[in-house]
Amino acid sequence: MSSDAQFDSALDLLRRLPPHSTTENLNRICALAPHLTEDLLSSVDQPLEIRRCKKSGRDYLLCDYNRDGDSFRSPWSNEFEPPLDDDEDGAKPSERRRKLEVKMGEAIDVYRELYYDGGVSSVYFWDLDDGFAGVILLKKTSPKGKTEGGWDSTHVFEAVDRGRTAHYKLTSTVILHLSTSNEALGEMQLSGNMTRQVEQDMQLDQDSDHIVNLGKLVEDMELKMRNLL
C-alpha cells in the first residue's frame, strides 16, 4: 500500500473512532506507521494538552503550531520547552507580530474568563509574506467524577493587509465531550467535533485593530457553533 493510501486510511479510521480518544488512537497509528507521523499530526484535530511554563509558572496549550520536534513554544516566555539544540532557534514570530501575539493573548485571556469561567487559553502568531497568520486556542474541562465534560476550540486564521482594510480567513474547530455514569443510565458518552469557516474584510487603521477584528470573528464564530452543538 502506498504512503498516500495509508495516510487516507488512517484519516478514515480516525473519523470513525470516538473524538475524545483521538490522541490515544493517533499515537497508536503513529507507532505502527512512523513515516506518517508529521502528516497526521498536522492534519488531525485532537483535544488540546496543557503544559506549565517553567519560566512564568502559567499554563499554556500545546498544538502543532507551537511545536518544533518534541519541544513547544510557550506564549508567555516565547521560549521552547524543552530547549532546542544550540544550533536551532525554532519558529518564532517577528518582533512586530510578537507584540501583537502578546496583546491578543491578554485579550483572549479576558474573553476566556468571562465566557468559560476558567480553563486555559493560548495564542500563537507567525509571519506570512503579505500579512500574518495565527491560532487561538481555548480549553475547558470539568472536574473528574461521575459527570465529566470537555470543550476544545481551535481557531486558525490568516490576515492579509490591503491598505485600509484587512482580509481575514478563519477556520474554527470545536471538539466536545460529555460523559456520565449513574445507576439509572449506566455509562453514557457523547462526543463529536465540528469545523466551520468564514472570510471577511474589516477596517484596519493600525496594528492594534487586528486584535478587535479577530476577537469579534472568534466570538461570533463560537456563539454560532455553540448554538449548532
Side-chain angles (χ1 to χ4, degrees):
M1 184 181 293
S2 66
S3 293
D4 289 342
Q6 289 180 337
F7 178 71
D8 291 340
S9 297
L11 291 180
D12 188 53
L13 177 61
L14 288 168
R15 291 190 192 102
R16 299 169 187 272
L17 296 171
H20 71 276
S21 302
T22 298
T23 300
E24 182 180 350
N25 293 324
L26 182 60
N27 290 336
R28 290 171 176 170
I29 293 175
C30 290
L32 290 172
H35 61 287
L36 298 178
T37 299
E38 287 297 326
D39 290 335
L40 286 173
L41 289 177
S42 62
S43 303
V44 177
D45 296 311
Q46 53 184 314
L48 301 165
E49 295 183 36
I50 301 174
R51 179 176 291 181
R52 177 151 296 182
C53 176
K54 295 180 180 179
K55 190 170 184 178
S56 68
R58 300 182 65 177
D59 290 338
Y60 64 98
L61 297 170
L62 312 184
C63 68
D64 193 57
Y65 299 100
N66 70 321
R67 182 176 67 89
D68 191 319
D70 294 326
S71 299
F72 293 86
R73 182 171 68 90
S74 165
W76 310 118
S77 66
N78 200 32
E79 297 177 359
F80 282 89
E81 299 178 348
L84 300 173
D85 295 336
D86 294 337
D87 58 343
E88 296 183 24
D89 293 328
K92 293 182 180 181
S94 62
E95 183 177 351
R96 177 186 177 188
R97 301 308 180 194
R98 171 59 182 166
K99 289 180 180 178
L100 266 183
E101 180 184 75
V102 172
K103 291 180 180 178
M104 190 77 228
E106 293 172 350
I108 292 298
D109 208 35
V110 174
Y111 168 86
R112 172 194 56 75
E113 193 60 41
L114 290 173
Y115 277 81
Y116 290 85
D117 191 26
V120 182
S121 62
S122 293
V123 174
Y124 304 103
F125 285 178
W126 57 93
D127 293 272
L128 299 177
D129 292 337
D130 52 356
F132 70 104
V135 61
I136 296 169
L137 309 171
L138 293 151
K139 182 181 183 71
K140 176 66 183 291
T141 56
S142 62
K144 291 186 176 182
K146 291 186 176 181
T147 301
E148 301 177 13
W151 169 288
D152 297 84
S153 57
T154 302
H155 305 276
V156 182
F157 70 86
E158 292 182 5
V160 178
D161 294 337
R162 295 179 175 175
R164 305 292 290 182
T165 64
H167 180 76
Y168 299 95
K169 181 179 180 180
L170 177 69
T171 302
S172 299
T173 300
V174 168
I175 300 175
L176 181 66
H177 169 62
L178 299 170
S179 66
T180 185
S181 176
N182 57 52
E183 293 182 0
L185 294 175
E187 292 188 6
M188 181 181 68
Q189 293 188 350
L190 296 173
S191 58
N193 56 21
M194 176 188 294
T195 298
R196 292 291 184 271
Q197 191 174 89
V198 65
E199 294 190 43
Q200 189 172 336
D201 292 322
M202 304 180 78
Q203 185 71 27
L204 183 72
D205 295 320
Q206 54 189 350
D207 272 357
S208 59
D209 289 342
H210 283 301
I211 298 173
V212 177
N213 294 342
L214 288 167
K216 179 174 175 54
L217 286 173
V218 169
E219 183 179 23
D220 291 346
M221 180 64 82
E222 288 216 330
L223 180 60
K224 292 177 182 176
M225 296 180 81
R226 282 194 197 99
N227 292 334
L228 290 171
L229 287 169

